[in-house]
Structure formats: structure tokens, C-alpha cells
């Protein structure tokens, strides 16, 4: 039986982790490698690094970060942000990342998914979707540019197309729940999970261990991602896993 | 010294970094002459079976691997590298493998025995079930390892099946016979358990050296 995966997400800007992560035992809370190691020790199953650098220089630094993390850690990790072309994917994957995540670039140029999957295999290509419910169309709408730009695509159709084009996994963020700490978006996660045959990583809304249980049992997510509750030590990866184990959810 | 066979298929970086972390010296090479100066070799691999076999033949690494195994030194295939050890594969056609182990590579069914939907690729952490004791499995207690694959080895002989994982079917996860062994998952991405497995392979290499 596969285990459900718990994935901390780290925002990296110009090679440094941002969002004031609170680990007192750390010498340098901005060092991506040191934080990655802490999460590995806590039992994280995978990590996601989101490059939010605005500059070309920052983007180059990300390759060094990827190399350093890959040298130090023996768990899989995904890198997203700033990946706009096959060459960007090559740079990041050859530096040692296991997967790349595409968001806006894939919506603007869906062929990028086909190219990446053909070159590296579907298992390397994660499609990140920012979803927001839209009453006027009665379903979820895809947003790009970090949630700032609405598109004319619905989440369900886009997820299906992305998978047909070769996406190996969907990282699904609920903009409605993101930051709410009220729990993952069960309806959204369930709907997308039923529409496609690849693993779904639920994201947005985690406020406590019980929310992970809900998204795994009710929405059948394969993995769940969270940032702030882990960074601010509201709960630990180990605690979430223990809670899940007690509820008879299969975790590592 | 371990040799990592470089035939243009796969993430050699992760494997080599994992060896560095556990303190095992290695070389990465596509040259049979260079690889022949090692005490054990790893055949990594990500991608399609057909392309992988074509590249091995092109570089005459298939003959090298057979000679290496005949010399009694240990060989470890990882992921696609493990699949190549078998007789044949049905991935995108019908293709011959190295034939070092009995069995064929077939696609993971997308339904389990109860008709429930299975996602393919089999991607993520799954538990190892041990079938017999083997040096490579020494000290492995909490056996969760990281898998990414869509095909698996069917018809593996009982003697060669060391550990498996459940995913609708019994997925052979660790196979081994004589000095030939394989891991369907990625030990280099499987945290402490994976590091232990690689350490065990290195120890087996030292032991086989004593026997030679």
C-alpha cells in the first residue's frame, strides 16, 4: 500500500528561504539546505521549493540551491517558479531536482508539458494549478501569475488536458482556502482527483493535523502540501504523521 | 571503488551524491576499460527500456556487463537499471533485456484485484515486504522506499525475490541472485533506509572481493 505523502513547501528568493521560518535550533533559518535537512529528519516525504526570485540573478542562484539540496538530501524534491522553457527544466533537473512544477508557463504554452514529458518522462513533470471557485460558471477557474490573473480555463478541463499532454502529477492549490487555516478544499480536491488518473497534491488551507486526515480520507488526495503551519511550528510533520497513523491512514 | 555505468539514461547525480554521503569512492564512466577497474558496478536508469538497451549495445556495455558478472563481481541495477537485468520487456513493443535474471517486464495494471482504480506510475513511498534474508537487506527494519515506475518484473523466480511491495500486484522491489541484484525503487531517494541499502551493497562488494 502506498503511503500518503506530507510535503512542506519552502519559498526561496534570491537563494534564501523567506517567510520567517521559526526554528530556534537553526543557525541560519534562511539556508534552504539546513531547513530541508530539518524537514527530512521530521519525516517529510518530499519537499517543494518555490523560487519567487524576481531577478535573473536570483534564478541562477536557484540552480546552486538545487545542487546543494540534492547533495545533502536523500528524499525527492520538486522545484517550481520561473520555469518557462525546456532549457529551464533541463537546468533544474540536471542540477539534481527530481521534478519541476509548471504553472503560468504551462497555461500560456501547453506544448511545454509535452516537451518536458517527452524529454524527461511524465514522472518529472508536475502541473501546479491555482484554483478559485467562480459562481458565474458554477465551477473552479484557473488563475495564473501567482493567483493575480484569471484565465478562461476551468480547473477540471485544464487538469485533464495537462494529464493528456503528459503531466505526471497535479499540485492543486485552492485560492479560496489558502491562508484560511480552515482545512483543505475537499470538494475541489475530490473533483480533480476523480477527473484525472495521476496523483493529486492538495494545497492551501492546512491549519492542523485533522485537516490532513480529511483531505486524505474524504477527498482521496495522494499527498498534501503545507507551508506556514510547519514553518511557524504550529505543528510538525512528525505530529501530523502520528495523528494520521492513529487514524489508520498509511504513512511512512 | 564502485563504477556507475553512464550510458546517457538517468540521474547519475543523485546516485553519486548518495555514495559520497556514505563514504564510498566511485567513478562515473561509459568506458568498459575504466569500469573494469572497479570492484562493483551500479546500472542506474530512468526512461524507456528500448532506448536504454539500444544505448548499452551501442557502447558495447551489454557485453561488458555480462563479462563483469562472469568475473564474480557484484552488479546492482536501480529502477530501469533493474528492469534491464531481466529477459525481456513489453514496454512499447517487445524488447530483449540483458537476460541475467528470469522474468519479464510488464505494465502495472490500472485496476487492482477488486476493480479499484490504480494510478500509474506507481509513485511515492511504499513498504517493503521481505521474502528471505539477504546481505543487502541487513539492518533494514522500517522498510519504506521511494518508487517511480510504470512497469514491473513479472515471473521472477522465488529464489531471486528478496523483497516486494504491494500495489495492486506484488511488485518485486529487491531482487538478487548470485552477484546480480536489483532495486525497483530509488535507494538514493529513500532517506535512511535507502542509504542503508546502498551501504549493504558496498559491504557485499568488499566481501566478494575477499572471495575472489
Amino acid at each position: 500500500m502506498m503511503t500518503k505523502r506530507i510535503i512542506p513547501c519552502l519559498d526561496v528568493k534570491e537563494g534564501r528561504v523567506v517567510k520567517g521560518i521559526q526554528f530556534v535550533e537553526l543557525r541560519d533559518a534562511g539556508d534552504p539546505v539546513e531547513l530541508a535537512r530539518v524537514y527530512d529528519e521530521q519525516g517529510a516525504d518530499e519537499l517543494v521549493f518555490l523560487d519567487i526570485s524576481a531577478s535573473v540573478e536570483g534564478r541562477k542562484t536557484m540552480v546552486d540551491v538545487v545542487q546543494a539540496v540534492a547533495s545533502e538530501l536523500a528524499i525527492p524534491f520538486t522545484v517550481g517558479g520561473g520555469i518557462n522553457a525546456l532549457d529551464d527544466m533541463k537546468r533544474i533537473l540536471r542540477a539534481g531536482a527530481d521534478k519541476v512544477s509548471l504553472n503560468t508557463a504551462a497555461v500560456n504554452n501547453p506544448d511545454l508539458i509535452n516537451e518536458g514529458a517527452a524529454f524527461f518522462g511524465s514522472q518529472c513533470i508536475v502541473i501546479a494549478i491555482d484554483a478559485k471557485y467562480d459562481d458565474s460558471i458554477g465551477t473552479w477557474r484557473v488563475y495564473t501569475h501567482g493567483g493575480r490573473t484569471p484565465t478562461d480555463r476551468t480547473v477540471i478541463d485544464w487538469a485533464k488536458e495537462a494529464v493528456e499532454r503528459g503531466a505526471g502529477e497535479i499540485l492543486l492549490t485552492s485560492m479560496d482556502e489558502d491562508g484560511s487555516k480552515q482545512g483543505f478544499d475537499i470538494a475541489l480536491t475530490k473533483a480533480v482527483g476523480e477527473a484525472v488518473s495521476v496523483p493529486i497534491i492538495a494545497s492551501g488551507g492546512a491549519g492542523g493535523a485533522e485537516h490532513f486526515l480529511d483531505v486524505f480520507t474524504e477527498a482521496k488526495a495522494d499527498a498534501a502540501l503545507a507551508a506556514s503551519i510547519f514553518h511557524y511550528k504550529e505543528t510538525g510533520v512528525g505530529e501530523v504523521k502520528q495523528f494520521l497513523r492513529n487514524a489508520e491512514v498509511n504513512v511512512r | 571503488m564502485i563504477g556507475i555505468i553512464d550510458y546517457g539514461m538517468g540521474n547519475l547525480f543523485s546516485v553519486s551524491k548518495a555514495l559520497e554521503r556514505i563514504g564510498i569512492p566511485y567513478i562515473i564512466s561509459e568506458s568498459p576499460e575504466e569500469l573494469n577497474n572497479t570492484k562493483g558496478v551500479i546500472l542506474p536508469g530512468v526512461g524507456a527500456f528500448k532506448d536504454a538497451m539500444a544505448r548499452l549495445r551501442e557502447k558495447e556495455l551489454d557485453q561488458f556487463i555480462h563479462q563483469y558478472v562472469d568475473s564474480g563481481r557484484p552488479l546492482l541495477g536501480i529502477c530501469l537499471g533493474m528492469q534491464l537485468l531481466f529477459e525481456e520487456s513489453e514496454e512499447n513493443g517487445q524488447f530483449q533485456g540483458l537476460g541475467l535474471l528470469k522474468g519479464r517486464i510488464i505494465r502495472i495494471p490500472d485496476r487492482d484485484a477488486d476493480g479499484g482504480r490504480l494510478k500509474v506510475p506507481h509513485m511515492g513511498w511504499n513498504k517493503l515486504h521481505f521474502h528471505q534474508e539477504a546481505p543487502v537487506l541487513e539492518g533494514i527494519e522500517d522498510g519504506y522506499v521511494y518508487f517511480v515506475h510504470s512497469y514491473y518484473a513479472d515471473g521472477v523466480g522465488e529464489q531471486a525475490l528478496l523483497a516486494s511491495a504491494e500495489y495492486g500486484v506484488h511488485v518485486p522491489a529487491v531482487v538478487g541472485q548470485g552477484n546480480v541484484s536489483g532495486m525497483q525503487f530509488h535507494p538514493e531517494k529513500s532517506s535512511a533506509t535507502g542509504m542503508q541499502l546502498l551501504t549493504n551493497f558496498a559491504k557485499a562488494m568488499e566481501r566478494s572481493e575477499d572471495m575472489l
Side-chain angles (χ1 to χ4, degrees):
Chain A
M1 267 283 282
M2 293 292 279
T3 62
K4 300 291 190 182
R5 288 172 280 155
I6 306 291
I7 309 177
C9 176
L10 299 165
D11 285 354
V12 179
K13 191 173 183 185
E14 322 290 331
R16 305 277 298 165
V17 175
V18 294
K19 274 194 184 171
I21 296 178
Q22 294 178 345
F23 287 106
V24 284
E25 67 269 31
L26 288 183
R27 277 176 288 117
D28 179 1
D31 179 5
V33 177
E34 195 156 355
L35 278 162
R37 203 181 289 126
V38 169
Y39 283 127
D40 180 21
E41 280 162 12
Q42 288 184 356
D45 296 301
E46 222 170 298
L47 294 171
V48 169
F49 292 91
L50 196 58
D51 184 9
I52 55 168
S53 301
S55 69
V56 175
E57 279 308 303
R59 291 274 146 78
K60 283 186 189 144
T61 313
M62 195 61 200
V63 173
D64 300 334
V65 170
V66 170
Q67 226 157 27
V69 171
S71 307
E72 294 285 328
L73 280 197
I75 58 170
F77 68 99
T78 302
V79 174
I83 295 167
N84 297 313
L86 190 64
D87 278 346
D88 297 328
M89 294 187 218
K90 286 182 185 170
R91 246 195 320 274
I92 294 293
L93 291 170
R94 284 180 181 157
D98 299 279
K99 311 174 195 177
V100 286
S101 140
L102 308 172
N103 191 331
T104 305
V107 173
N108 290 345
N109 175 18
D111 286 340
L112 202 53
I113 305 173
N114 304 63
E115 287 172 30
F119 202 88
F120 296 105
S122 290
Q123 78 281 351
C124 291
I125 311 298
V126 180
I127 296 302
I129 304 178
D130 291 336
K132 191 173 173 24
Y133 195 80
D134 189 329
D135 277 327
S136 71
I137 53 171
T139 184
W140 295 271
R141 185 186 290 282
V142 176
Y143 279 66
T144 57
H145 300 90
R148 290 190 301 275
T149 313
T151 70
D152 55 8
R153 291 177 180 274
T154 70
V155 171
I156 302 291
D157 287 347
W158 174 230
K160 282 184 184 167
E161 181 181 337
V163 170
E164 274 164 25
R165 286 176 175 274
E169 210 165 26
I170 303 280
L171 167 52
L172 183 63
T173 300
S174 164
M175 292 169 58
D176 299 302
E177 293 300 337
D178 203 19
S180 74
K181 308 219 162 165
Q182 298 298 305
F184 294 95
D185 192 329
I186 301 294
L188 167 70
T189 309
K190 198 172 174 193
V192 178
E194 283 169 358
V196 297
S197 58
V198 301
I200 306 292
I201 305 167
S203 159
E210 67 279 11
H211 295 149
F212 289 86
L213 177 62
D214 294 344
V215 83
F216 289 144
T217 54
E218 289 175 38
K220 307 273 192 292
D222 301 276
L225 176 143
S228 55
I229 62 159
F230 294 140
H231 302 334
Y232 298 116
K233 292 183 104 177
E234 287 163 28
T235 185
V237 176
E239 291 163 43
V240 171
K241 286 194 156 183
Q242 193 52 51
F243 183 85
L244 291 169
R245 235 173 254 126
N246 293 344
E248 294 182 349
V249 172
N250 201 11
V251 289
R252 177 170 71 102
Chain B
M1 177 80 77
I2 286 186
I4 302 174
I5 303 176
D6 179 8
Y7 60 113
M9 302 284 289
N11 196 347
L12 308 177
F13 185 81
S14 309
V15 174
S16 59
K17 287 295 164 189
L19 293 177
E20 273 172 37
R21 276 197 299 276
I22 58 175
I24 313 286
Y26 65 88
I27 56 163
I28 298 175
S29 177
E30 56 166 28
S31 145
E33 290 75 31
E34 277 177 29
L35 289 166
N36 204 28
N37 292 326
T38 61
K39 290 166 182 167
V41 289
I42 292 179
L43 180 63
V46 172
F49 190 97
K50 176 191 162 190
D51 301 340
M53 276 310 295
R55 296 220 192 174
L56 285 178
R57 289 202 186 98
E58 202 176 289
K59 295 176 189 289
E60 295 182 353
L61 285 163
D62 56 333
Q63 297 169 30
F64 163 75
I65 290 167
H66 279 283
Q67 285 158 9
Y68 198 90
V69 168
D70 288 343
S71 77
R73 287 171 288 177
L75 161 70
L76 171 65
I78 295 176
C79 197
L80 176 64
M82 162 186 146
Q83 298 185 353
L84 297 171
L85 305 176
F86 288 86
E87 293 162 309
E88 57 177 7
S89 167
E90 62 160 40
E91 182 177 357
N92 304 324
Q94 193 84 269
F95 300 99
Q96 266 208 323
L98 292 166
L100 292 164
L101 295 174
K102 191 178 154 296
R104 65 193 300 265
I105 307 303
I106 63 173
R107 193 169 168 84
I108 298 170
D110 59 7
R111 299 272 160 190
D112 64 18
D114 306 322
R117 194 180 63 164
L118 276 179
K119 295 180 179 183
V120 181
H122 171 215
M123 176 156 69
W125 296 83
N126 206 338
K127 195 178 176 99
L128 291 178
H129 298 276
F130 303 109
H131 296 279
Q132 47 188 308
E133 286 183 15
V136 75
L137 300 178
E138 253 175 44
I140 309 290
E141 285 165 12
D142 176 23
Y144 284 100
V145 289
Y146 187 77
F147 289 85
V148 183
H149 64 122
S150 299
Y151 290 77
Y152 75 105
D154 187 37
V156 176
E158 207 174 293
Q159 276 188 316
L161 185 61
L162 304 183
S164 65
E166 292 305 309
Y167 194 66
V169 291
H170 304 294
V171 174
V174 184
V175 293
Q177 199 167 309
N179 52 337
V180 175
S181 53
M183 297 178 190
Q184 178 61 73
F185 51 88
H186 288 276
E188 75 280 13
K189 287 288 167 186
S190 297
S191 202
T193 301
M195 293 305 105
Q196 183 65 48
L197 288 163
L198 288 173
T199 305
N200 289 350
F201 175 72
K203 280 190 195 154
M205 184 174 82
E206 283 160 24
R207 271 194 299 271
S208 80
E209 190 192 357
D210 295 340
M211 290 188 305
L212 288 174

